[in-house]
Each structure stands twice: as C-alpha cells, then as structure tokens.
Amino acid sequence: MSSLSGASKYLLIFWSSTCSHCLNEIPGLYDELKNIKDTEVLAVGLEDGLENWKKTIPRLADFHHAIALEKWDSPYVQTFAIQQTPTYFILDENKRILDRPESAEKVLEYLKKH
C-alpha cells in the first residue's frame, strides 16, 4: 500500500482465489471500477498457495496485487479484523480508512457519491 500514490481514493480488498463468493462478485466490481476515476485498488489474496492465485489475477489486471500465504493465519486477518472474504476498505488519499462497505454494491455506491 505504501508504494501506491496519486489517487484520491484507494480500495483495499481482501479476497481469495478459492472463494466462490469472491470469484462471483469481484469481476463485476472490476468492470464497474473502470468507470470510476482516481481510485486505485490493492487486492490482497488470502491464500494457502500460489497456483490458483496466479491463475486468477490476470483477469483483474488493473488491480495492484499482493498475497498473504498464511490465509486465515495471516497477520492482516487480525489487524483488519477480517472474518470473511471478500472484505473491502475504502481509504482516502492518505490511506486512512473512510469506510468498510459490506458488498461490492456498497463499494460502488460509496465511490460514486464521494
């Protein structure tokens, strides 16, 4: 996250390439985000291994990607109180948390209003 700069908003997504809900929801969000300017996305894969993740991320090529191989034992899970995937955070230009929408639909609502 620290290497990203220049956007007025950031979307942080915790997801998994083995999560069917993520695989259904995130591609539609990906397509919709192309119409929202000045928002960068960091998608953090909570994964058990690299294989599925490496196959999936090319379909989300405009996102910045990171991986946490410890999946539910990852320090991110505790730090961000993640209880399910996908989990979304909207951050401001200084990367402070503005909102934690509960769905891709709520992410889009927030970003379109602000």
Side-chain angles (χ1 to χ4, degrees):
M1 200 69 193
S2 63
S3 66
L4 300 179
S5 64
S8 65
K9 298 240 180 356
Y10 296 90
L11 175 60
L12 176 59
I13 304 172
F14 291 95
W15 70 292
S16 176
S17 63
T18 58
C19 163
S20 61
H21 187 68
C22 298
L23 297 175
N24 287 329
E25 186 169 299
I26 293 174
L29 175 63
Y30 177 83
D31 290 339
E32 289 291 325
L33 286 170
K34 291 178 183 179
N35 300 318
I36 298 176
K37 296 185 187 318
D38 209 24
T39 300
E40 293 286 328
V41 179
L42 176 60
V44 179
L46 300 175
E47 306 289 342
D48 287 323
L50 290 171
E51 188 176 341
N52 284 330
W53 181 77
K54 282 185 175 181
K55 288 179 186 175
T56 306
I57 62 172
R59 292 184 247 156
L60 307 170
D62 293 336
F63 288 179
H64 301 277
H65 292 278
I67 189 167
L69 286 174
E70 302 89 14
K71 199 165 186 169
W72 294 111
D73 293 324
S74 164
Y76 295 112
V77 170
Q78 185 172 1
T79 300
F80 288 91
I82 299 165
Q83 297 179 4
Q84 64 185 21
T85 54
T87 294
Y88 304 102
F89 292 91
I90 297 174
L91 313 174
D92 69 9
E93 68 275 359
N94 296 310
K95 300 174 187 121
R96 292 179 294 216
I97 297 172
L98 296 171
D99 198 9
R100 185 178 177 163
E102 301 216 358
S103 67
E105 180 180 286
K106 296 288 185 189
V107 167
L108 293 170
E109 280 179 26
Y110 184 96
L111 292 174
K112 289 175 181 177
K113 287 182 182 177
H114 299 93

